[in-house]
Amino acid sequence: MICLPAADPGIVARREEIVAALRELIGPGNVVAEPLRLAAYETDALTAYRQRPLAVALPETTAAVAAIVRYAHRAGVNVVPRGAGTSLSGGAIPAPDAIVVAMGKFNRILDIDYANRCVVAQCGVTNLAISHAVAERGFYYAPDPSSQIACTIGGNVAENSGGVHCLKYGLTTHNVLGVEMVLPDGEIVRLGGRYLDSGHYDLLGLTVGSEGLIGIVTEVTVRILKRPETARALLIGFGSVEDAGACVAHVIGDGIIPAGMEMMDRPAIEAAEAFVHAGYPLDVEALLIVELDGPAAEVDMLIDRVRAIAESHDSASCRASTSEQERLAFWAGRKAAFPAVGRISPDYYCMDGTIPRRELPRVLAAINDMSRRYALRVANVFHAGDGNLHPLILYDANSPGELDKAEEFGNEILKLCVDVGGVLTGEHGVGLEKRDLMTYQFGERDLDVQHRIKLAFDPALRFNPGKVYPTLSRCAELGREHVHRGAERFPDLPRF
Amino acid sequence: MAAEGNSMLRPRDAADVAEIVRAHPRALEPMGGGSKRSIGRPVDADPLDLAALSGITEYEPAELVLTARAATPIPAIREALAANGQRLAFEPPDFAALLHGDGVPTLGGVLSANVSGSRRVSAGAARDHFLGCRAVAGSGEEFRAGGKVVKNVTGYDLPKLLAGSWGTLAVLTEVTVRVAPAPETETTLVIEADDAANAVEMLTAALASSHDVSAAAYDPARGCLLRLEGFGPSVAARAAGVLEALRPPGVERLDAVASSALWSDLGSAAALAERPFVWRIGVPPSDAPRVLDAIAPRQFLLDWGGGLIWAALDELDVGRVRGALPTGHATLWKAPVAERSAAAVFQPQPAGVAAIAARVRAALDPAGKLNPGRMA
Ligand SMILES: Cc1cc2nc3c(=O)[nH]c(=O)nc-3n(C[C@H](O)[C@H](O)[C@H](O)COP(=O)(O)OP(=O)(O)OC[C@H]3O[C@@H](n4cnc5c(N)ncnc54)[C@H](O)[C@@H]3O)c2cc1C
């Protein structure tokens, strides 16, 4: 049970005045205040938690964002930045005393600069739209979160999002060259640009992954790459997770950095196969997808090398894609793993810890023990190359107490990740979800230093309060209202 | 307690560092090998000699992660990695020749300065490989930041902030970096170019190809330099691909040994060693020819596909250099002490950014104890 910060009744009482002020500032058409329309902004992809915001502002220009922020600063109102609302950690969940600044209207690509291999986009442009915009010349934007058709580049910057190809091509932070950002006092700054590195402190690096706590990113400059000449994948089955893990270590130890290296355990394989019929073997305990990209000469050679390595670790089956269609088929099951699990369970809860890879067998065994103890099934998908684990905990929110149990189970997994030398989150962010576990990974002084950085940007703590860092503020146990399979109960009731 | 004396502070471990930062009455100049001491404004501070904080503490090649005490010399890191077929992909440069210095670069120093070699354009900068650290803030607290795994978004990315902060926010005591497999082989194509504009065109075409050019530079004395690294057959195929795309009139091909030596010199601008004033300038690659025309340097090198200009001048001329930049940043990398004391060595920032930078500094080092004024 995550506690949401208590709303300030004084602010909630001033709702009409605040809405009127926003309408005055950015035009009535850009302010959402009607309960029914506000419902769309109640939560993000951590749907177990929802709260109706005070109001939603839909600015169209950076100047409008700055005006909203300056007003909020003066009026003492909190601000929650929002992109597409696909955060899995509750980072975009609003508060009853906060203005949501939703950046959906910032949806234009401003410049495609092939000479400098970069694209300048407004923050609300989707991740995939950037790749689409440069596809005609054979370029793409490398970080590819599975949510890429929906999530925004501004959200990616805020979360430092990754994807299955970030082992070779890096996370968002390695691919962002610059941003324009509105600071919590309304000041508009530019950090970085179409050049590399900074002449001073790397405030851009600090901004990426700051989860909407230190400003609203309005524009992003990203690096684009030429598509590799070819890509092929191997689909390798193993009789044990240990063998699969040893194979991954061996591939990397051999100097090979695959474009992607994904692992699935038996429950995940079964769910995926039942859903998309990708042709996955069903008699194995672990499945690896290894993708190699580059010039054909290299890819063909490495396919053979990885196959030989897999055989040396007793692979039970091994197929190499010989066509683009086959390669995509190998990926189809992995890419559909979440919805596939959604089919076999009323609800699932996705975790995101990172561990040193050598700990994989031990951690998976421990997760299986926990699964028995909590009497909840679990399926594991795993960015095996970089140790980022996504256990999916299966539960039924209609069964009393199961959500609490699932959350406890999840917390135990994340603590284990920290215990073995890893971290709470590899790509989904801390948000609301993992906030209270921060003290498990970091000491008091570590958190204090981070808090001082926050204060340097946002001394009044107005931006995305209650997220990422545990605070001593009063706490309301309201707010959680589970929505089962997307059906909302009592949609008409006001929630202030 | 560590040996104390006005001139030499030699902590033995992180606890000593914290004690000194808290108790020492004067400002401190954190120092690893001292190889970059002559970069930045000279500071009036007592050297904090971190040499004792040396040694690799954790290294598992298959995890692609290495942890070492901050003042571990780069050569020691290189050697340990090479024994396992690995390397630091960002190629930490050694500026000994350029700066006429004798200090040996250390891992903590390289990260604090965020200096990267020619491979920066393809593999990322020092900051991109900096995963986590233990450090002592200017306020005297020991703290940890980041982690020891390659993928981590838990909390603010403080290693990024500390990278390139030149010891003005915190003293690094232990650092964790991402490491990478070393390639089986490499080659460099040396291609004639008429001038900087022609060179930038070729560098851009090469980097915009799918041939994975890992470094792309222009040395007017030699020509365009394009580096290809990886497995043997792949390097051969990609080199052929680059040549087919560029169709240069003349090309020389360097073997692995010559190639590696060339880039070690190029990444550290060793060719400019005899020049008194050297600027390190970051620009959009397509601006480089115009910027060079405006500066008219005595000698120059272009690296990072044109995005990094090393410009050597005979006199200081800050206005000429900074005035030539429509965007980007220029750092006075080498200059006699008198000029470094007077000029803005680092690129001045717009007021809004400068204000935030000052607040960030005050958050970690409220009394201005670490390297005061160095980044002016
Ligand atoms: C099915 C599914 C699959 C996913 N797969 C992946 C994956 O493979 N890899 C991965 O890393 N993530 C994944 N995610 C998580 C999510 O898509 C990413 O975190 C994404 O970057 C969020 O973008 P968004 O635009 O939806 O941001 P939101 O959810 O709206 O916001 C996320 C956070 O960013 C802040 N924010 C948003 N926009 C801005 C802005 N302009 N300025 C400042 N702060 C801002 C918000 O305050 C919030 O804290 C997945 C999510 C789903 C639902």
Side-chain angles (χ1 to χ4, degrees), chain A residues 81 83-87 91 145-147 152 155-156 158-159 161-162 211 215 217 427 464:
Chain A
T86 67
S87 170
S146 316
S147 51
T152 67
N156 290 176
E159 300 282 20
S161 301
E211 301 201 28
V217 172
E427 58 181 15
N464 226 354

Side-chain angles (χ1 to χ4, degrees), chain A residues 116 167 174 196-197 201-202 298 301 305 354 357-358 388 425 427 441 445-446 450 452 456 469, chain B residues 60 62-63 120 127-128 139 141-142 144 151 153 156 168 178 231 234 285-286 327 329 349 359 363:
Chain A
N116 294 306
L167 173 63
H174 306 119
L196 296 172
D197 298 342
Y201 291 158
D202 188 0
E298 172 175 332
M301 180 188 95
R305 275 206 202 179
T354 302
R357 261 185 285 94
R358 61 173 181 270
N388 188 197
T425 172
E427 58 181 15
Q441 180 175 330
R445 276 184 316 221
D446 312 334
Q450 303 201 28
R452 275 145 61 185
Y469 297 100
Chain B
E60 271 194 62
E63 301 287 341
R120 197 271 171 252
R127 50 94 89 171
D128 294 308
S139 50
E141 296 103 333
E142 283 180 68
R144 279 182 313 142
K151 205 166 166 200
V153 298
Y156 300 129
T168 62
R178 180 181 181 152
F231 296 100
S234 169
S286 64
T327 178
H329 49 90
Q349 301 172 286
R359 294 209 293 276

Side-chain angles (χ1 to χ4, degrees), chain A residues 341-386:
Chain A
V341 165
R343 276 176 79 242
I344 60 168
S345 170
D347 302 275
Y348 67 89
Y349 183 36
C350 173
M351 311 309 297
D352 174 48
T354 302
I355 56 171
R357 261 185 285 94
R358 61 173 181 270
E359 300 288 351
L360 179 66
R362 178 151 77 105
V363 169
L364 286 189
I367 291 177
N368 284 333
D369 284 347
M370 293 177 209
S371 165
R372 275 190 290 277
R373 199 151 31 82
Y374 285 98
L376 291 175
R377 288 180 297 163
V378 64
N380 280 291
V381 297
F382 184 46
H383 301 304
D386 43 30

Side-chain angles (χ1 to χ4, degrees), chain B residues 60-89:
Chain B
E60 271 194 62
E63 301 287 341
L64 298 176
V65 166
L66 175 143
T67 300
R69 292 191 193 90
T72 309
I74 290 291
I77 306 262
R78 278 220 176 92
E79 201 177 307
L81 291 173
N84 290 282
Q86 295 188 330
R87 67 178 181 187
L88 294 170

